[in-house]
Every structure is written in C-alpha cells, then in structure tokens.
Amino acid sequence: MNFKDEFPSAIARWSPRVPFILPILVALAYRDLAKTDLYQRTVSEVEGAGFFEPTTTSPLLVVTLSIWVIFNRKTQIKRVMGRGSAPLSAGLLLAFSALIYLWSYYVGAVSLLLISLITLILGAGALLGGAPLMGLLALPAGLLLLAFPWPAVLMNQVVFGLQNAAAWLTLAILELFSYEAVRSGDLILANKQVFQVIETCNGLRSMETLVMSALLYMEIAERRPLHRLIIVCCAPFVAYFLNGLRIISIVLYPGDTSHTAQGIVALIVGIFTIVFLSFLLEKIYKPRPRIQAALPEARKNEFGWVGTALLCGALAISSFLVVPYELVKPKPLELSRVPLALGGWVGSAKRVDRTYLGSVGFSDEIAVKYEKGKRAINLFFGSDDLTNPMRSLRSPKAALQKTGIDVISRERIYDSPVADEVQIMLVRSATDNQYQLIYSWYDGVESLGREVMRAVLFLEASPFRRERGSYVVQLSTLIGRGEPSRAVYHETIATMEPLALQFHDAMEKIIQPVPETDLGN
C-alpha cells in the first residue's frame, strides 16, 4: 500500500461526513460546560456561594444562544466557507485552545474551557474560511465570554464602585424631584429611614443581561456593525439607570419585597428601550446600501475539516487522561492565639459585618476591639489560604469595614515596619458626622493585574502557587465630630502605629507557609 496515495484519498472519503461529526466531537470535548457550576472549584466547594455569586449567567444558556447565532448565520457562513484560509492564525489559535484545554483539567478550572472553546471556534473559522468566516464567528464566540466568571479580585473592585454609583444615581434622581435625601457611601437617608445599597443591588447582572439581549436583538434585526456597536454600548447605561429606578422604588416603598418582579419589569423596559434607541438610530443614521464584494472561488478544504475534527477528538480523549494537580491545603490559622492584650491594650471579640463585605472572601477572619483608658481601636484581620481561586480579600471594602462612610483624605506610607505599603484614610459618616481614622495594609498580595492573571489561570491550583497565603489588617478609631486638625490627625496615627506593629509581630508567629499536606487529609 502506498501511504502517500492512500492518505489523501482517505481524507477525501471522510471529509464530507466531518461537518456532521464535528459538532458531536465538540460537544463531547466541552461536555463539562453543561454540568459544572463555573463558580465552584471542581476540587473543593466554594464557601459562601449563592447570594454573593458575581453573576448567575448560565453557561448552558449562553452556549445555546451562541449555537443559535451560528445557525442564524448559516447562509452567510456557507457563502464564505472554503473561499479563503489563514493557516498561521488558525495554527496559533488552535494550539492555544488545546493548551488552555489541557491546563483547565490540570488545575480543575472548568471555566477555562470557555476560553478554549472561543479560540477553537475562531481557529476553525480561520482555517476553513479565513478572515471573512472569523468575522462571522466573532459574535457567537464573544457571547461565550458572558458566561465566564469574573475573577473575584476584579469583581471586588467593580462591585464596590457600582454600589456607590447606584447610591449616587438614586440620590440624584430623588433630588431632581425635590425629594429630601442624603447619601453617605452606599447608604441613602430618606423618608426618615436608612437604606443600604447592598452588593446584589449594584446592577452588574442587569448590565450583563441587557447587553446580551441587545446583542441578540441586533442579530435578529440584522443591523450594520456600527449600529450594533452603538446600541450595545448604550445597553449598560440603560441598565444602570433602570437599576437606579429600582432602588428608588425600594426607598419610597420599603414594604414592597417583590424584587424579582421588579427585576423582570426592569428587563422588559430595558429591552423596549433598546428597541426604541435602535429605531431612532436607524432613522438618523442611514448607511449606503451594502455592496457585496466578489469572493474567490470556493475550494474544498478536506484537511481543514478533518484536522479540526481530529483535534476535537484528541481533546475529548485527553480530558480523561490528564492527571489533576494535587492541591495542598494549609492548616487553619489558630486565631485563638491572637493576643487580646497588647502593650496595655485589652481586647474583646467583635462581630464581622458580612452583609457589607459581601463577596469579599476570607478563609479566616477575626475582629477585635482594643481599649486603653478612654481610647478604643477596632481591629480586623482577614486571611486567604489561596485554595479557592474564586475568592479574594483584595477589595476597598476590606480597608473600610463599615457601611455608609465617605473617604475625606487618603495617603500612603511606604517601607513601614509592618508592610511595604500602609494606607491611611480619614473617613466621615454622614449619619452622625463622626470622623474616623483608618490604618490598613495587605501582606502577600500582588498588583491588581498580577492578581487577575493568577485568578484567571488558576495559578494558585498549580505548581506556580504562592508559598504562603495573604492577609489584610485594618485598624480604625473614632476621632469625633468635625474634621480634625493636622495635630490631632498625626497624634492619632502615632497612637495606632505601636498597636499595629505589635499585632503584626504576633500574627507573623501564627501564620506559617503552606505545608505539604494533601487536600483530602
């Protein structure tokens, strides 16, 4: 048998069947997207999942919508299929897809399968139809990003900003209609009551849902690319405004608990708003009729079809062969050893406000109130053992630790005895006009960009994990009503620094590097 003659003929015989076999192979390779909660580790359960999950976008729903978009574009896809190829781009994308696929099973990060699937779709498009086909597949591939879980460290930054922005918008609308109200951080004082804009009222879910709805409507309406871009960019602002109206309804009618119904009504109004904005834009912006460019003659690409199918089959088989990394579990911190007496300060345990902290995650936490004479300093310590990549303690809330406060001033001290960087904030509560001084620092936390990269790639569930966990310490004390003078400001800092140093030295004896202990033990 002549292999050089038989191999091409075998490819030619099998290639007509590949378009029917390929979807089955893709479904087998990415089957875990349909049965796995992307907000949980496959190695261990996430503590506090549910109420404080970053989003509830169903991966199965998003994948289904992506498939529908591909089916809706089948005529255009058939038109460009086989009329071009970008082998270099295809090779890079498919190689990256395979690498991410294997890494996802190695570290137990099923969410990374979405990234692998996105690059697989684009790589297959580049191989089978070149740039035109990649362009047609960009939307269904991009839709999959809506199901990708936000890294917790990034979510913490975004959610806190959206909470305060929602409170600000609510106040602005109330004042527009001459309704007396006061905002302090995430609190709104109106109608002789105090309302807190909690984490689930930040509006991010509404934005994601309305963006997805706008994308689908633009697909059904077959609008031009620029038209689509403008409307999709408007969707988050429409959702943000409607979320503010939802909060106002809660402020004016606090007894109404039909939040789910309010959310459905807001979504319906948002969709009608998107349709109306699209109608207006169509009247204002009238582009020239499209002239379809002549395409090169279509040619069969048997090797492209069979190669893509073989890759998907190999990925499906490899998912059963990859040996997951054996994640180590550190010993729990012995917080009972936290000293309640430090340099004349006497401490007592306090309750942690979990409603305010929301999705800010800790593996261990403790709050202590230290007193010496008439002076009292509240201290919070929270640590993360880094065994759950969907958890992060890096958040503006970790330094504030209290709802309803506005930051008046902020300064940073570098090369402090307790940390490389210490943050000092003067804050005020509008409810009682009390000023506080906050002294806080992180340990074992890298820059935001590096933390996001570690979270996305699940590096803490791999040999690249850090040797010890991270922690945050926050000390706060009341100064009194009215903004303090500079002398009082510096005197308060001088009072807090010795306690901070003593606590830091005591905790360093408790915190140990990650031991080589099996997770299952």
Side-chain angles (χ1 to χ4, degrees):
M1 181 180 68
N2 190 336
F3 179 76
K4 290 184 178 180
D5 295 333
E6 288 293 328
F7 182 69
S9 62
I11 295 291
R13 287 196 306 271
W14 278 95
S15 60
R17 308 174 191 176
V18 171
F20 303 99
I21 300 174
L22 185 58
I24 299 173
L25 293 175
V26 172
L28 287 174
Y30 295 93
R31 63 195 179 279
D32 283 332
L33 289 176
K35 66 179 184 181
T36 303
D37 180 1
L38 301 189
Y39 295 93
Q40 291 184 355
R41 288 292 316 280
T42 55
V43 178
S44 61
E45 292 185 358
V46 173
E47 296 92 348
F51 186 72
F52 293 118
E53 283 180 355
T55 181
T56 54
T57 306
S58 166
L60 184 58
L61 172 63
V62 175
V63 170
T64 302
L65 292 174
S66 180
I67 294 172
W68 175 82
V69 173
I70 293 175
F71 180 79
N72 189 58
R73 296 184 171 191
K74 63 183 184 299
T75 303
Q76 298 166 278
I77 290 174
K78 287 179 180 179
R79 180 173 176 267
V80 301
M81 186 73 72
R83 298 181 184 273
S85 184
L88 179 59
S89 299
L92 292 174
L93 286 167
L94 293 176
F96 181 77
S97 175
L99 183 64
I100 290 293
Y101 186 93
L102 297 174
W103 179 259
S104 70
Y105 278 99
Y106 178 61
V107 298
V110 182
S111 59
L112 286 177
L113 289 177
L114 283 168
I115 304 299
S116 174
L117 182 56
I118 289 170
T119 50
L120 176 72
I121 292 172
L122 295 176
L127 186 61
L128 300 174
L133 184 54
M134 283 183 67
L136 288 173
L137 295 177
L139 177 59
L143 270 174
L144 297 176
L145 286 175
L146 294 175
F148 190 81
W150 286 57
V153 62
L154 184 60
M155 178 63 63
N156 290 345
Q157 315 302 315
V158 173
V159 165
F160 180 71
L162 287 177
Q163 280 182 260
N164 287 321
W168 174 86
L169 176 64
T170 303
L171 177 67
I173 297 175
L174 288 172
E175 289 181 339
L176 183 64
F177 292 95
S178 303
Y179 196 94
E180 292 186 8
V182 177
R183 182 188 72 87
S184 181
D186 57 345
L187 291 184
I188 300 171
L189 290 73
N191 202 20
K192 298 182 180 179
Q193 296 187 64
V194 178
F195 302 89
Q196 182 183 358
V197 181
I198 61 174
E199 197 164 280
T200 50
C201 292
N202 66 76
L204 183 59
R205 294 179 182 178
S206 302
M207 292 181 187
E208 290 181 341
T209 304
L210 199 57
V211 165
M212 185 164 60
S213 302
L215 285 169
L216 293 177
Y217 173 69
M218 292 296 100
E219 179 68 15
I220 294 170
E222 298 183 348
R223 302 304 188 200
R224 297 296 182 89
L226 181 59
H227 186 119
R228 297 183 187 214
L229 180 63
I230 294 173
I231 295 301
V232 170
C233 288
C234 289
F237 297 98
V238 173
Y240 170 67
F241 180 76
L242 292 175
N243 185 61
L245 295 181
R246 281 186 63 196
I247 298 173
I248 287 177
S249 70
I250 297 173
V251 171
L252 298 180
Y253 305 100
D256 186 3
T257 58
S258 56
H259 301 316
T260 302
Q262 292 174 354
I264 294 173
V265 171
L267 176 60
I268 294 173
V269 173
I271 292 173
F272 275 107
T273 304
I274 290 297
V275 173
F276 179 69
L277 290 175
S278 178
F279 172 78
L280 288 181
L281 187 60
E282 188 72 12
K283 294 295 183 182
I284 298 171
Y285 169 65
K286 294 182 179 180
R288 297 175 183 176
R290 285 187 244 191
I291 301 175
Q292 292 186 343
L295 294 172
E297 185 179 350
R299 59 183 178 83
K300 293 183 178 180
N301 192 348
E302 293 95 348
F303 286 93
W305 280 106
V306 174
T308 305
L310 288 175
L311 174 62
C312 293
L315 292 179
I317 294 172
S318 69
S319 65
F320 296 100
L321 302 178
V322 174
V323 179
Y325 177 74
E326 195 169 353
L327 184 65
V328 294
K329 182 180 180 181
K331 296 177 181 178
L333 294 181
E334 298 180 36
L335 293 183
S336 59
R337 293 171 54 194
V338 173
L340 295 180
L342 285 172
W345 292 88
V346 179
S348 57
K350 285 185 58 182
R351 186 182 66 86
V352 178
D353 187 357
R354 289 303 318 171
T355 302
Y356 173 68
L357 289 173
S359 59
V360 184
F362 307 99
S363 54
D364 298 283
E365 60 188 44
I366 188 172
V368 181
K369 182 178 182 179
Y370 287 99
E371 295 179 285
K372 181 194 286 187
K374 295 183 179 180
R375 174 74 73 177
I377 296 178
N378 295 310
L379 184 145
F380 172 83
F381 171 84
S383 67
D384 183 3
D385 59 15
L386 305 179
T387 58
N388 177 9
M390 290 300 180
R391 176 180 62 209
S392 175
L393 55 73
R394 176 167 176 155
S395 169
K397 293 182 181 181
L400 295 175
Q401 286 293 320
K402 184 180 178 182
T403 186
I405 57 177
D406 295 312
V407 178
I408 305 302
S409 67
R410 189 193 313 260
E411 68 172 304
R412 301 183 190 276
I413 299 176
Y414 297 96
D415 298 324
S416 166
V418 298
D420 294 334
E421 180 182 321
V422 172
Q423 180 176 241
I424 299 176
M425 292 185 292
L426 180 66
V427 301
R428 179 181 67 89
S429 172
T431 55
D432 53 12
N433 200 33
Q434 288 277 9
Y435 282 77
Q436 292 184 63
L437 194 68
I438 295 177
Y439 188 100
S440 64
W441 72 90
Y442 288 98
D443 187 273
V445 176
E446 299 180 359
S447 66
L448 179 61
R450 292 175 66 89
E451 289 288 341
V452 170
M453 180 190 70
R454 284 186 163 276
V456 169
L457 297 178
F458 276 56
L459 294 184
E460 303 303 342
S462 76
F464 301 104
R465 76 179 311 240
R466 286 168 278 195
E467 292 185 355
R468 59 178 275 174
S470 56
Y471 65 84
V472 59
V473 181
Q474 185 255 33
L475 293 88
S476 64
T477 185
L478 283 173
I479 296 179
R481 288 184 171 83
E483 187 167 352
S485 64
R486 296 302 295 176
V488 172
Y489 177 84
H490 288 293
E491 179 187 346
T492 306
I493 294 176
T495 303
M496 301 174 77
E497 283 181 333
L499 178 62
L501 181 57
Q502 293 175 56
F503 183 81
H504 169 269
D505 293 342
M507 291 307 300
E508 284 297 311
K509 298 176 183 178
I510 297 175
I511 299 172
Q512 300 295 331
V514 174
E516 298 297 327
T517 306
D518 290 344
L519 182 67
N521 292 344

